[in-house]
């Protein structure tokens, strides 16, 4: 709930996380609605195919993110294509 109300968040680090699909998608959707978000790090996030495809879909609509770190994720060919 606090993230939904925050209007000044610029950077967030969520790496080394092994969250389930529902919580991951909810969090990523909240973050991508923040007009102030400029940097997002999801290093070692343990994405699955559905999550990375959702992230790719959200990237199409985000106009403020200037840095996205996906280092050390096993995205595979389909994941890379989604991004």
């Amino acid at each position: 709930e606090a993230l939904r109300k925050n209007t000044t968040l610029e950077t967030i680090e969520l790496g080394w996380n092994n969250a389930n699909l529902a919580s991951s998608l909810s969090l990523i959707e909240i973050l991508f609605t923040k007009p102030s978000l400029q940097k997002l790090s999801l290093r070692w996030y343990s994405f699955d195919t559905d999550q990375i495809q959702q992230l790719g879909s959200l990237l199409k609509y985000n106009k403020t993110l200037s840095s996205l770190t996906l280092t050390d994720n096993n995205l595979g060919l389909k994941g890379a294509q989604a991004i």
Side-chain angles (χ1 to χ4, degrees):
E1 188 60 32
L3 279 176
R4 289 187 195 278
K5 294 179 181 180
N6 186 308
T7 59
T8 60
L9 184 67
E10 293 181 4
T11 302
I12 193 162
E13 164 64 58
L14 295 173
W16 297 88
N17 192 340
N18 194 13
N20 66 43
L21 177 60
S23 63
S24 296
L25 293 180
S26 294
L27 181 58
I28 289 170
E29 286 176 20
I30 289 169
L31 293 173
F32 273 90
T33 61
K34 297 296 166 201
S36 59
L37 186 64
Q38 297 172 16
K39 297 179 183 180
L40 176 60
S41 177
L42 299 169
R43 184 176 185 188
W44 283 100
Y45 197 80
S46 300
F47 283 109
D48 65 21
T49 303
D50 291 336
Q51 290 168 313
I52 201 65
Q53 288 176 341
Q54 180 70 21
L55 178 60
S57 295
L58 291 169
L59 283 172
K60 293 177 189 176
Y61 304 104
N62 184 282
K63 304 296 182 203
T64 60
L65 193 67
S66 61
S67 174
L68 174 64
T69 303
L70 296 171
T71 307
D72 299 313
N73 279 288
N74 187 16
L75 302 180
L77 180 58
K78 287 185 180 182
Q81 290 172 334
I83 297 296

